[in-house]
Amino acid sequence: DLISKQYKQLTFFGIDTFASVYLNGSKIIEANNMFHPWESDLNNILKLGENIIEIEFRSPLKEISPKLKNLDYALPADNDQAGGMSPYIRKAPYHFGWDWGPCFITSGLWKKVQLIGYDSFLVNTINLNQLKIDSKRGELEIELEIISKNSTKATLYIIEQSLEFEREFILDINKGINNFNKILKVLNPKLWWPSGYGDQHLYNFNIRIKSNDFDMLFDKRIGFRTAKIIREKDSKGKSFTININDTSIFSKGANWIPADSFITRLKKEDYRFLLESVVKSNMNTIRIWGGGIYEPDYFYELCDELGILVWQDFMFACSLYPADKQFLKSVKNEASYQVKRLKDHPSIVLWCGNNEIAWAWHNWEWKEKLPRHLWEDYKLLFHKVLPEVCKKHDPRRLYWPSSPGHGVDAPETGQIYGSGDNHYWGVWHGGDDFEAYEKNVGRFMSEYGMQSYPELSTIKTFTTSKDRDISSAVMTSHQKASLGNKNVIKYIEKYYSKPNSFESLLFISQIMQAEAMKMAVESHRRNMPYCMGTLYWQLNDCWPGASWSSIDYNKNWKALHYAAKKFFKSIFVSIKQKNKYIGVYVINDLNEIIDCDLVIELLNFNGEKIQSHIESLKLKPISAKKYFSTKVKTLIENKNKSKIVLKSFIKTKERILSENHFYFVRPKDIDLPEPKFNIKYEALKDAILIIIIPSTFLFKVYVTCINCKGIFSDNYIDLFPGEEKKIKFKPNDNLNIDIKDLMFNVNTMYDLV
């Protein structure tokens, strides 16, 4: 019975953000940070019978506004749509608006509330730290923090059934805060691997702590693995490679933002859909960007299960921050809690201090316009407070101060290529052509992107028919980027013919976005092992607007996500024209030798082979190499460049591993024939098979389901006459329609222009 316990404690795991909490008229908590729990002893306040809790939330803007009046400078916060107050508030930065999301400054309880009672001590944290790991043995350290009201003894029992592992320890507990560290050794653990490199084996450790008046069970799930970032000097700078179990990993993926403007609306199935979509598109890495939230436990548990590596930012982005004692104390509490909460997850590979702040100081005219002491404040926060927290609680993971960054010391210049990670925004913000991606390749490309619109079914959720014009008030309100519509149209016009309708514009924007990211990713992958990571901006959306996402807010895969499934394949073929020559590259991400055949065919749009080439390859592990090169003039001779395509694929005896097409002109200059094709449908148990049989060349043929949401096995593809293509459509869960009643549209680029 709770009331009979000698000590009672109330914990709020998430208060957003400024709030006073009262119990029976007495103030017990004064909250000012949404990123760590708030707790209070209730010994003299809680009573038998009815107790009244009151929470008084205060406007974050009204709370901070008076404090800023005496400052003779404003901390930069370019994305803040609420008066630039976000840097002073430990609240999700994106709540104040961003160039892909609205300004909704929320208040409330966003995580659970827990009331507990105990008689002598309380277990505050339990961690299993990995010390030495290989396939023969695993050396762990169990780390306990126990808060006790008196001196006592307890027994610690640890069991992992599948390893046949059992240990017990006697704990001598003193009054106050107790820290215990015990070494555990297990034999022959199965290792945890990222997706594409092996299994994601996870072990469940059952931990019991028992004394005369305390008996509790705790579960800890871990994957045995080593993780480090290889940063070795070479002639071009310094490498930046994620290494798992002594294997270099080419990181493929995207940046993650919060999946809703109102976080409490998210359910487990939302996280599962998005993270399973990550793996289905052959990604192995996501970067949790620093302008959002520290995601819930379930998010990281899924990443562990699915083999998704996590680059974890602390929640600081594109702003400078205060460095007064109260603010730094709050950040220290926040970071300590989050590191201790998350460090057991095998998926997390590094902690990053912030997003783009060092770059901004040096290259966005901040240092020219702002007081010098703000840079000292920056260094105090990101080069002292946060690294000290990481060193204390998780010394075996890299702390990387800022992304982009080229070292762990405070930089004296903005981002440079050759060391560390890079954000490249010359395409989009700078207006550069897609081909500029090929000239701006770093060791790890952690941000770059291109906008598109969501599909019509998503736009219908917030528009009426009269609103369906990108310049309408409603559509404009859902485009938060300053360059927004102007840039989308500009890039469409550079590469594609003019869309013939509003809906056509939506699809062409997605096809254009996919082509931009394909060109970027291929340039990064061809440069392996110089470049060992590519994470495009961005995976997901927080609301149904125009953005850089590859999955829209309503869970529709955009053209980019279907393209990613192909350009992120472990074995991949890439075609590149440089000046007068054309080369065919083959990339092997895997840590094994691959025997395969490379096939290269020059085709006209009737599907006739003009030239062909085949050779057997033995691909080295983790390699990218040019296997074929010829002069463009020699290849195409006097052929019409707008009516031919170079097709290349990698195959084994069993199957085609990767296929790619290269056009000698931009898409708008391709001489497309009028599309003709037949379609057949076959109902499977839980899916529909769509069979497309073309009698002409089809450029960017795509399928949409009219009356159901789901994922296609492939989409936005090019087909030649007689080349039968089978596409499987699997509806999302909770299908309330018979599989045979599903209806589809099949269109091509020809129909859009």
Side-chain angles (χ1 to χ4, degrees):
D1 183 61
L2 181 69
I3 202 71
S4 67
K5 296 292 183 184
Q6 193 169 353
Y7 305 102
K8 298 94 180 171
Q9 181 177 294
L10 183 66
T11 303
F12 291 82
F13 282 87
I15 299 177
D16 178 14
T17 294
F18 293 106
S20 302
V21 182
Y22 299 87
L23 177 62
N24 299 327
S26 297
K27 185 191 284 190
I28 58 171
I29 288 171
E30 187 62 55
N32 64 4
N33 187 324
M34 77 176 279
F35 294 131
H36 67 74
W38 295 88
E39 58 193 35
S40 176
D41 288 332
L42 306 182
N43 293 337
N44 301 318
I45 308 172
L46 195 68
K47 61 186 181 182
L48 190 64
E50 184 179 87
N51 290 266
I52 297 174
I53 292 179
E54 297 172 282
I55 307 174
E56 179 187 275
F57 291 97
R58 300 187 300 280
S59 160
L61 302 185
K62 290 181 180 178
E63 185 81 6
I64 292 300
S65 182
K67 300 176 183 179
L68 305 187
K69 290 179 180 177
N70 297 326
L71 294 176
D72 56 3
Y73 60 87
L75 293 179
D78 294 347
N79 289 288
D80 187 320
Q81 298 162 20
M85 298 184 201
S86 57
Y88 302 89
I89 306 169
R90 289 315 295 147
K91 174 175 174 58
Y94 86 109
H95 283 169
F96 297 83
W98 220 265
D99 57 4
W100 37 257
C103 177
F104 290 137
I105 304 174
T106 54
S107 288
L109 299 180
W110 71 291
K111 290 194 172 186
K112 69 179 181 179
V113 182
Q114 186 178 66
L115 177 60
I116 60 171
Y118 60 100
D119 288 320
S120 58
F121 64 83
L122 182 67
V123 179
N124 202 31
T125 57
I126 300 178
N127 289 106
L128 288 175
N129 303 319
Q130 302 193 34
L131 305 181
K132 296 177 183 177
I133 305 296
D134 58 40
S135 58
K136 294 181 180 178
R137 68 169 188 161
E139 186 174 309
L140 304 175
E141 174 190 59
I142 185 165
E143 180 183 13
L144 303 174
E145 184 178 280
I146 294 176
I147 299 172
S148 184
K149 298 295 185 180
N150 48 49
S151 296
T152 185
K153 285 185 182 293
T155 306
L156 167 66
Y157 303 92
I158 306 160
I159 297 173
E160 211 299 323
Q161 289 184 341
S162 66
L163 287 167
E164 298 180 345
F165 175 86
E166 290 188 31
R167 288 294 305 274
E168 67 177 73
F169 301 92
I170 301 299
L171 304 178
D172 291 312
I173 300 172
N174 298 313
K175 185 177 181 179
I177 298 175
N178 295 257
N179 291 290
F180 298 99
N181 300 79
K182 304 292 182 181
I183 300 298
L184 314 175
K185 294 181 180 180
V186 301
L187 296 176
N188 305 315
K190 295 177 181 177
L191 297 181
W192 180 95
W193 289 93
S195 178
Y197 289 84
D199 294 332
Q200 291 77 52
H201 200 89
L202 296 166
Y203 288 96
N204 294 294
F205 283 81
N206 306 122
I207 299 162
R208 184 183 184 189
I209 299 173
K210 188 177 187 302
S211 71
N212 291 334
D213 56 7
F214 186 94
D215 190 355
M216 282 198 74
L217 288 170
F218 305 88
D219 291 316
K220 276 289 181 183
R221 188 175 70 160
I222 66 164
F224 287 96
R225 60 97 182 96
T226 63
K228 54 191 173 185
I229 310 299
I230 305 295
R231 300 184 60 243
E232 294 176 343
K233 286 185 178 179
D234 56 29
S235 61
K236 297 176 181 177
K238 212 170 188 180
S239 64
F240 196 96
T241 303
I242 295 174
N243 183 285
I244 304 295
N245 302 327
D246 294 323
T247 299
S248 293
I249 306 295
F250 188 91
S251 299
K252 302 175 292 191
N255 285 259
W256 171 278
I257 65 167
D260 205 296
S261 290
F262 301 100
I263 302 159
T264 51
R265 295 201 294 203
L266 291 167
K267 298 179 174 63
K268 285 185 175 181
E269 52 263 36
D270 298 317
Y271 284 112
R272 182 168 284 280
F273 176 88
L274 289 167
L275 292 176
E276 285 183 347
S277 293
V278 165
V279 174
K280 285 175 182 175
S281 60
N282 293 308
M283 298 181 184
N284 59 29
T285 308
I286 54 172
R287 172 178 174 240
I288 300 182
W289 166 78
I293 61 168
Y294 305 94
E295 294 294 337
D297 293 341
Y298 183 69
F299 177 98
Y300 300 95
E301 290 165 8
L302 278 176
C303 289
D304 295 343
E305 289 175 15
L306 296 169
I308 301 170
L309 300 173
V310 175
W311 169 310
Q312 178 68 56
D313 281 6
F314 289 100
M315 292 303 118
F316 301 91
C318 301
S319 302
L320 287 173
Y321 293 87
D324 58 89
K325 287 184 179 179
Q326 182 184 1
F327 188 86
L328 293 180
K329 180 183 177 183
S330 180
V331 168
K332 186 176 180 180
N333 290 340
E334 165 192 326
S336 298
Y337 169 74
Q338 295 295 347
V339 169
K340 288 191 286 185
R341 176 175 77 97
L342 298 175
K343 67 176 181 172
D344 287 341
H345 292 283
S347 52
I348 297 179
V349 292
L350 67 79
W351 307 106
C352 180
N354 69 73
N355 176 74
E356 297 189 345
I357 304 177
W359 180 27
W361 176 263
H362 288 292
N363 291 121
W364 298 3
E365 298 184 349
W366 286 9
K367 70 178 179 181
E368 290 83 5
K369 296 178 179 178
L370 293 164
R372 174 70 193 180
H373 74 83
L374 294 180
W375 182 241
E376 300 306 314
D377 291 349
Y378 171 90
K379 290 192 286 186
L380 188 58
L381 178 53
F382 297 109
H383 290 272
K384 181 171 172 56
V385 173
L386 289 178
E388 285 179 355
V389 167
C390 291
K391 185 177 181 180
K392 179 180 179 182
H393 297 299
D394 192 22
R396 292 167 191 85
R397 279 188 182 90
L398 174 68
Y399 168 77
W400 190 243
S402 186
S403 177
H406 49 270
V408 294
D409 298 325
E412 295 179 0
T413 183
Q415 69 168 319
I416 60 172
Y417 286 79
S419 298
D421 73 307
N422 290 99
H423 297 188
Y424 175 64
W425 285 103
V427 178
W428 182 262
H429 286 297
D432 297 346
D433 286 1
F434 298 165
E435 289 76 7
Y437 283 124
E438 295 163 354
K439 300 174 183 176
N440 292 276
V441 180
R443 309 310 288 256
F444 195 107
M445 300 302 294
S446 49
E447 259 197 44
Y448 54 91
M450 175 57 62
Q451 253 206 17
S452 70
Y453 300 107
E455 68 175 58
L456 187 60
S457 66
T458 296
I459 285 175
K460 283 182 175 179
T461 64
F462 64 85
T463 61
T464 61
S465 57
K466 65 180 175 60
D467 301 318
R468 289 169 199 150
D469 182 303
I470 61 166
S471 59
S472 73
V474 172
M475 287 296 294
T476 300
S477 72
H478 285 72
Q479 169 60 275
K480 294 300 182 184
S482 58
L483 296 172
N485 295 345
K486 178 183 173 184
N487 259 12
V488 174
I489 298 300
K490 179 177 77 175
Y491 280 109
I492 287 175
E493 289 178 347
K494 278 189 178 195
Y495 290 90
Y496 294 88
S497 300
K498 185 179 179 181
N500 59 25
S501 68
F502 175 72
E503 186 173 6
S504 296
L505 171 62
L506 307 181
F507 282 113
I508 292 181
S509 76
Q510 291 192 20
I511 292 168
M512 177 273 294
Q513 177 195 35
E515 182 61 27
M517 294 300 91
K518 177 177 182 286
M519 197 171 291
V521 170
E522 288 195 27
S523 67
H524 304 155
R525 297 192 68 187
R526 284 195 303 268
N527 279 281
M528 186 173 71
Y530 169 81
C531 176
M532 284 299 289
T534 179
L535 310 177
Y536 65 70
W537 184 270
Q538 66 205 63
L539 178 77
N540 58 317
D541 278 327
C542 69
W543 80 322
S547 83
W548 294 263
S549 72
S550 62
I551 304 174
D552 78 19
Y553 178 72
N554 281 9
K555 299 190 177 74
N556 297 299
W557 282 24
K558 293 182 180 179
L560 168 54
H561 212 78
Y562 288 105
K565 188 176 179 181
K566 285 174 266 197
F567 63 57
F568 279 147
K569 282 187 172 184
S570 296
I571 312 296
F572 182 70
V573 59
S574 175
I575 307 169
K576 167 76 175 83
Q577 180 178 341
K578 187 174 183 181
N579 302 322
K580 297 178 180 180
Y581 286 84
I582 196 156
V584 179
Y585 298 72
V586 182
I587 293 97
N588 176 20
D589 287 345
L590 302 178
N591 195 29
E592 58 186 273
I593 295 170
I594 303 293
D595 292 310
C596 59
D597 290 330
L598 170 64
V599 181
I600 302 166
E601 298 173 342
L602 184 68
L603 305 172
N604 62 27
F605 289 170
N606 293 324
E608 298 164 347
K609 292 179 188 176
I610 302 167
Q611 287 192 43
S612 64
H613 171 86
I614 184 168
E615 64 177 289
S616 296
L617 307 180
K618 190 178 285 289
L619 306 179
K620 291 182 179 178
I622 311 174
S623 64
K625 183 179 176 181
K626 181 162 61 175
Y627 285 95
F628 176 85
S629 180
T630 187
K631 282 187 174 181
V632 176
K633 188 176 180 181
T634 304
L635 185 66
I636 66 175
E637 297 174 330
N638 58 351
K639 306 293 186 297
N640 184 340
K641 289 196 296 184
S642 63
K643 291 186 176 184
I644 56 173
V645 59
L646 191 65
K647 177 181 177 181
S648 184
F649 55 94
I650 298 290
K651 68 173 186 174
T652 61
K653 290 179 181 178
E654 294 80 25
R655 61 196 176 98
I656 292 176
L657 301 177
S658 171
E659 181 180 316
N660 214 334
H661 296 164
F662 177 84
Y663 296 90
F664 296 88
V665 295
R666 289 187 173 184
K668 66 181 179 181
D669 297 319
I670 296 174
D671 188 359
L672 294 177
E674 184 176 349
K676 294 177 183 177
F677 53 90
N678 291 319
I679 305 172
K680 294 192 293 187
Y681 301 95
E682 290 181 15
L684 307 176
K685 184 180 178 182
D686 60 350
I688 285 280
L689 198 63
I690 303 151
I691 304 165
I692 304 171
I693 307 164
S695 51
T696 63
F697 173 64
L698 305 180
F699 184 62
K700 298 293 177 255
V701 59
Y702 64 95
V703 189
T704 51
C705 185
I706 299 169
N707 55 348
C708 178
K709 283 188 186 179
I711 297 173
F712 296 90
S713 59
D714 200 355
N715 220 340
Y716 299 92
I717 51 182
D718 303 342
L719 294 175
F720 296 90
E723 185 179 21
E724 182 178 286
K725 177 69 178 180
K726 293 181 178 179
I727 298 174
K728 186 183 289 187
F729 175 78
K730 189 168 174 46
N732 293 349
D733 295 336
N734 61 33
L735 182 67
N736 54 8
I737 187 172
D738 192 293
I739 200 87
K740 295 176 183 176
D741 294 329
L742 295 177
M743 299 167 63
F744 300 91
N745 277 333
V746 182
N747 296 96
T748 71
M749 176 63 75
Y750 186 95
D751 305 304
L752 298 177
V753 298

